[in-house]
Amino acid sequence: MPANESSADPVRLQAYLAHCGVASRRASEKIIAEGRVTVNGAVVTELGTKVTSADKICVDGNPVSLEETKRYILLNKPAGYVCSQSDEKGRQVAVDLLKPTYSERLYNVGRLDMFSRGAIIFTNDGDFAARLSHPSAEIEKEYIVETSYPLPEGLAEQFVKGVRVEGIFYKAVKAEKMNTHRMRVVLIEGKNREIRRVFENAGAAIRSLERVRIGNVNLDGLRAGEFRELTQADVKGLLALCKKRHVSKEK
C-alpha cells in the first residue's frame, strides 16, 4: 500500500484487493460485482465497502492478504497462451509460466491475444497496473507483423491516416514497411485485435504478430517463454511515460 497509508486504515475493497495482488482495481471491481468476495464470511458486492487488514477477506473462498514484495515482470509470451488467471476451455495460461518462480499472485497488465507473442508485463502492484492501463496513459506498444503474402500497397500509410473497420476507427502512431512481408507498427490505443482487424480488412493474412516493446521496455533477447524482472529504472521510466493527467486514487 502507499507509504502514507497504514494497513489498519480503512480502504475501499477494490483497492485492498489490488494491494493484495488479486487483480487491478478495475478488474477487482468486476470480481466484487460478481459476488466472488466475502468479508468476514459475508458476500460483499458494494464497491464502496471499506475494509482493513484486520478483516478476513476471501476471493472465491480463498483468503487474501497484503503482499510485501512488489513484482514487475516482463514475459515474452509464446503464441498459444491466453492472458487470464485461468481458462475454462483448458488452454495454456501465460501466468502459469511464472508460477514455478514466484509465489505472489501476479496478473497481466493489458493483453496479447492467444495467437500473438511477445512482451507483456505481469505485476502484483495494483496502482502500477492502473496507471499503465488507464486510457490516458498512451504508452507506446511496438509490434512486428509478418504476412503470408506480400503486403498490400499503401497499407502502412493508410494505417497511420486511420482505417475504419465495421464502424470502429483504428489508427497507428507509426507504421513502417520493413520488406515485402514485414511491417513495424506502433500503437497507443490498444483496441481489441486492432492490428489483426486492419490487416484482415486489407486482405493481408498475418503469419506472425510479435510485440517487441512496451514504452521504454524491450524484449532485449528474451526468448519465447523466458522472463525477467523489470529494473527500478524500467518501472520509473514506464510511469514517467504515462501522460500527466489526473488518475484518481481511491481510499
Side-chain angles (χ1 to χ4, degrees):
M1 303 181 80
N4 62 341
E5 289 183 21
S6 162
S7 61
D9 292 334
V11 296
R12 292 193 179 189
L13 181 56
Q14 60 266 39
Y16 189 89
L17 293 180
H19 290 302
C20 290
V22 172
S24 68
R25 293 190 189 189
R26 185 178 299 178
S28 293
E29 289 177 357
K30 185 173 183 291
I31 291 171
I32 295 167
E34 290 172 346
R36 296 166 55 192
V37 180
T38 60
V39 178
N40 300 324
V43 174
V44 173
T45 57
E46 174 57 54
L47 298 182
T49 301
K50 292 198 172 185
V51 297
T52 71
S53 58
D55 292 307
K56 182 179 179 181
I57 300 164
C58 297
V59 177
D60 297 330
N62 301 310
V64 299
S65 58
L66 295 172
E67 292 184 343
E68 296 294 330
T69 304
K70 298 300 183 187
R71 300 290 188 186
Y72 311 91
I73 301 159
L74 177 70
L75 168 70
N76 185 346
K77 184 188 87 70
Y81 284 74
V82 296
C83 293
S84 61
Q85 291 299 306
S86 61
D87 187 72
E88 59 186 19
K89 297 180 181 178
R91 295 172 296 184
Q92 298 178 104
V93 179
V95 72
D96 286 348
L97 295 170
L98 307 177
K99 287 182 177 179
T101 305
Y102 300 99
S103 60
E104 294 86 0
R105 181 167 180 168
L106 302 168
Y107 50 91
N108 44 285
V109 181
R111 291 177 178 271
L112 276 175
D113 70 53
M114 178 178 173
F115 301 106
S116 299
R117 56 193 172 95
I120 187 163
I121 294 171
F122 284 82
T123 188
N124 61 345
D125 185 338
D127 289 331
F128 173 79
R131 291 270 308 270
L132 262 64
S133 301
H134 196 275
S136 70
E138 298 186 358
I139 297 289
E140 285 191 352
K141 300 175 183 67
E142 182 176 334
Y143 304 80
I144 302 297
V145 190
E146 294 192 13
T147 56
S148 300
Y149 305 102
L151 288 161
E153 194 65 34
L155 178 57
E157 292 78 8
Q158 291 171 20
F159 205 168
V160 171
K161 288 181 180 178
V163 178
R164 190 170 296 279
V165 181
E166 296 181 355
I168 301 175
F169 187 70
Y170 301 103
K171 188 178 188 300
V173 175
K174 300 174 187 174
E176 172 193 6
K177 183 177 178 180
M178 302 172 71
N179 59 37
T180 57
H181 291 72
R182 299 185 83 200
M183 186 185 297
R184 185 188 311 276
V185 177
V186 178
L187 304 176
I188 58 172
E189 289 186 298
K191 292 176 181 173
N192 186 36
R193 297 175 61 84
E194 180 166 355
I195 293 174
R196 292 190 182 277
R197 286 175 175 167
V198 170
F199 273 62
E200 288 168 5
N201 183 67
I206 292 178
R207 185 171 66 183
S208 72
L209 175 56
E210 179 182 23
R211 183 156 69 196
V212 296
R213 177 174 65 88
I214 301 172
N216 58 308
V217 175
N218 299 280
L219 285 175
D220 289 332
L222 281 181
R223 296 180 180 178
E226 292 183 340
F227 52 87
R228 68 174 177 87
E229 292 202 28
L230 297 183
T231 65
Q232 191 173 33
D234 288 334
V235 174
K236 287 183 177 179
L238 284 166
L239 293 174
L241 286 172
C242 293
K243 291 292 184 179
K244 304 297 185 182
R245 302 181 187 178
H246 177 70
V247 179
S248 64
K249 285 191 174 182
E250 297 174 278
K251 279 194 69 176

